[in-house]
Amino acid sequence: MSRKALNGGGQSGPAIKPLATMQARDAAKLESFRSALNRARFNKSIGKLADKMFATKSRPVNEAYSEKTFRLTNAWKSEFREALARAESYLPSTKAVTQEDKRALADFIKKLKELHRGRPRGGSPRRPAMAERTAAHLVLERLKYMREKTGAKRISKKSGIPAKLIADARKEVSLHFSVPAAKISADNIARLVDKK
């Protein structure tokens, strides 16, 4: 008896089974997609029909229905965004008629702008002071390097070297910190250098 006979006559039998199962699986996926699409279309048509029907109902029923649809459409939003969406839906429906209404709207927009601004940074007033400390550190490092290079214990102010180093450090730091050089005090840098 040959090996083909023992294996069932050939290799075509096992290869056909996976193909048939894949086709059946694809057909099931296609059918589930079609049914989901039909349900979505049906739900959309029911929603449109409900909108038409509730438009003719009394005002309290219509308001309750519109409230429910608003909550459903904004359920995924945070409380703040939901409140903004509610305000956005109310504003076009009513117009600011009187001066008081216009003032109230202006106050509301002013508060929104304050919220939009967020937390104050607080870093800008401290930038010149930070730049001065950084410049003093640069000057000290350069003076230390010059002392090591020349072998001197001190570099006097009368030589003009510290003043030149302060001016150079001031320019570098003003570029780095984005602070105008006029706001960085050379006297403060010299004082910080003398402290060390």
Side-chain angles (χ1 to χ4, degrees):
M1 198 182 273
S2 68
R3 285 189 176 177
K4 283 187 178 179
L6 289 174
N7 287 337
Q11 295 178 354
S12 62
I16 291 174
K17 283 184 181 177
L19 183 63
T21 56
M22 286 187 345
Q23 286 176 347
R25 195 178 317 131
D26 290 344
K29 284 181 182 177
L30 184 64
E31 188 58 38
S32 68
F33 175 73
R34 283 183 184 152
S35 64
L37 187 62
N38 288 336
R39 277 196 308 273
R41 287 179 180 154
F42 177 74
N43 290 341
K44 188 175 181 182
S45 64
I46 290 291
K48 285 183 179 178
L49 182 67
D51 286 343
K52 286 180 185 175
M53 287 179 60
F54 277 101
T56 59
K57 296 285 183 185
S58 65
R59 186 174 178 189
V61 174
N62 195 6
E63 286 177 0
Y65 178 71
S66 62
E67 177 69 23
K68 183 192 84 87
T69 54
F70 176 81
R71 284 189 181 175
L72 283 176
T73 55
N74 295 305
W76 56 275
K77 294 181 179 176
S78 66
E79 276 186 49
F80 180 73
R81 289 176 67 192
E82 191 174 330
L84 281 180
R86 188 177 299 278
E88 184 184 358
S89 67
Y90 283 151
L91 286 177
S93 62
T94 59
K95 290 185 178 179
V97 181
T98 64
Q99 286 293 332
E100 289 180 17
D101 292 345
K102 290 177 182 175
R103 274 191 230 112
L105 181 61
D107 291 343
F108 179 69
I109 291 171
K110 190 176 179 182
K111 286 180 184 176
L112 280 180
K113 284 183 180 176
E114 287 173 7
L115 283 174
H116 180 67
R117 216 178 295 141
R119 192 178 62 150
R121 287 191 182 189
S124 57
R126 289 183 281 173
R127 273 194 183 164
M130 287 170 47
E132 288 167 358
R133 284 194 300 271
T134 307
H137 180 72
L138 278 173
V139 170
L140 285 170
E141 288 297 314
R142 289 175 182 163
L143 285 172
K144 180 180 173 186
Y145 176 75
M146 289 179 79
R147 282 193 305 266
E148 288 173 359
K149 196 104 172 160
T150 59
K153 288 190 173 181
R154 288 189 84 185
I155 296 175
S156 69
K157 290 182 185 178
K158 292 178 183 177
S159 66
I161 293 173
K164 186 179 179 327
L165 290 176
I166 287 173
D168 291 344
R170 196 170 153 204
K171 286 177 189 173
E172 286 180 41
V173 169
S174 71
L175 290 173
H176 182 72
F177 281 91
S178 300
V179 175
K183 288 190 175 183
I184 301 171
S185 170
D187 295 335
N188 289 346
I189 297 171
R191 212 173 294 124
L192 288 168
V193 169
D194 290 341
K195 278 185 182 178
K196 303 282 179 173

